[in-house]
Amino acid sequence: LCDSIIAGSEMKTILDEAAEASSYLWENGWAERNAGNLSVDISDALSSSIILSGDERFRPLAGSYPSLAGRSYLVTGTGRRFRDLAKDAGQNSCILRMTDGGDGFNIVWGGLDNPDFNPTSEWPAHLRVHEFLRASGAPENVVLHTHPTEMIALTHMPEYKNEQTLCQALWSMHPEVKVTLPIGIGFARYMVPGTEELAMETVEAFRRGFKIVLWEMHGCVAIAGSVMSAFDLIDTANKSAKILLMCRAAGLTPQGLEKHQQDELVAAFGLKE
Ligand code: 13P
Ligand code: ZN
């Protein structure tokens, strides 16, 4: 089954990018132990004959997702290490297909070494984000959650616990951040990981146009059209957080790019704020 899945070139690209990005997440120190998770809507990349031919393992869901009925996803497993995904996707991730009612799913490939294999504990949040992406006709099919150290550090500082000061700080540290994330990033106050409450708050932030939502004292979630683009967005935002903290650690309060310099970027790159 594995060979037949990756025979499709689009599926091979997705698996290759997932493996490459997972190594970067680990190397950046954002994926300690089982930290972070990934889901990709692969409905268009995977042929339906393959998805129905596996030995299926049914899992019910607490919530209902009728608009995702019948769709297929590549999802990392709960408790699995990102650094192991590159070595063996079949043990550390799975392909699952949502039931026709959208209130459960069948694992049709992956999680091979453990009959109790389950997708990430953040699957409810991923599902709500995929639901939003489908409903809004958005081009993104990738949801990536990771623990970017410097961005998390900022959320421990009272002045950055709101979107406005957070975005202003990130934009002002490096011009490419304004260019890459012209709308900024969303902020969600601390909530218990894996809860529906956190999922809804995250979707609300994406609804406001952000491509990254920062979870206070936990990590962030990015949406993109490819795994590598999702990684790139977080990498770019975290660069600013790192510069800011380095200046602070050196005893400096950086002035950063001023308003007129940011306005210049908006004009030069035709950015939609
Ligand atoms: P999982 O191992 O369940 O994916 O959880 C990792 C994580 O980062 C939870 O927020
Ligand atoms: Zn997490």
Side-chain angles (χ1 to χ4, degrees), residues 36 122 145 147 218:
E122 303 287 3
H145 165 60
H147 297 176
H218 179 162

Side-chain angles (χ1 to χ4, degrees), residues 1-231:
L1 186 59
C2 183
D3 285 346
S4 59
I5 285 171
I6 62 172
S9 61
E10 207 178 331
M11 207 47 224
K12 180 164 172 22
T13 304
I14 291 169
L15 285 167
D16 285 351
E17 281 202 16
E20 190 181 346
S22 62
S23 303
Y24 299 159
L25 293 168
W26 164 247
E27 285 159 17
N28 278 347
W30 304 346
E32 71 283 356
R33 196 169 169 263
N34 64 312
N37 30 71
L38 169 74
S39 67
V40 185
D41 186 331
I42 53 171
S43 309
D44 299 333
L46 203 62
S47 89
S48 55
S49 58
I50 289 171
I51 210 69
L52 291 170
S53 65
D55 69 306
E56 310 195 348
R57 285 157 280 166
F58 175 71
R59 303 279 188 269
L61 282 163
S64 181
Y65 310 83
S67 66
L68 303 182
R71 299 201 70 80
S72 303
Y73 298 89
L74 173 73
V75 190
T76 53
T78 186
R80 302 304 166 118
R81 294 170 176 80
F82 253 126
R83 65 179 188 264
D84 290 340
L85 186 64
K87 284 187 244 166
D88 193 336
Q91 284 198 3
N92 297 291
S93 63
C94 70
I95 290 175
L96 61 84
R97 183 175 179 276
M98 298 293 285
T99 56
D100 291 344
D103 52 4
F105 56 86
N106 284 292
I107 298 173
V108 297
W109 174 84
L112 301 175
D113 63 339
N114 182 355
D116 297 327
F117 178 94
N118 270 308
T120 170
S121 58
E122 303 287 3
W123 186 222
H126 285 248
L127 278 168
R128 289 293 176 215
V129 175
H130 283 294
E131 192 176 50
F132 156 72
L133 292 172
R134 297 294 304 160
S136 60
E140 291 90 357
N141 66 331
V142 171
V143 178
L144 175 63
H145 165 60
T146 188
H147 297 176
T149 315
E150 287 81 6
M151 284 169 82
I152 297 168
L154 286 192
T155 73
H156 286 274
M157 299 159 75
E159 66 260 52
Y160 300 120
K161 286 179 188 280
N162 74 79
E163 266 159 22
Q164 245 187 339
T165 49
L166 179 68
C167 292
Q168 199 47 245
L170 296 179
W171 285 329
S172 74
M173 289 298 103
H174 198 287
E176 293 300 337
V177 178
K178 183 76 185 171
V179 174
T180 308
L181 295 157
I183 298 173
I185 71 169
F187 177 82
R189 69 191 160 79
Y190 179 79
M191 275 170 257
V192 176
T195 56
E196 182 73 8
E197 191 190 17
L198 179 56
M200 296 318 261
E201 188 85 7
T202 306
V203 166
E204 275 319 301
F206 283 128
R207 210 183 292 285
R208 281 180 279 132
F210 302 118
K211 302 299 177 197
I212 299 178
V213 179
L214 185 54
W215 289 351
E216 183 181 13
M217 300 185 284
H218 179 162
C220 74
V221 185
I223 50 172
S226 71
V227 181
M228 209 46 71
S229 311
F231 170 81

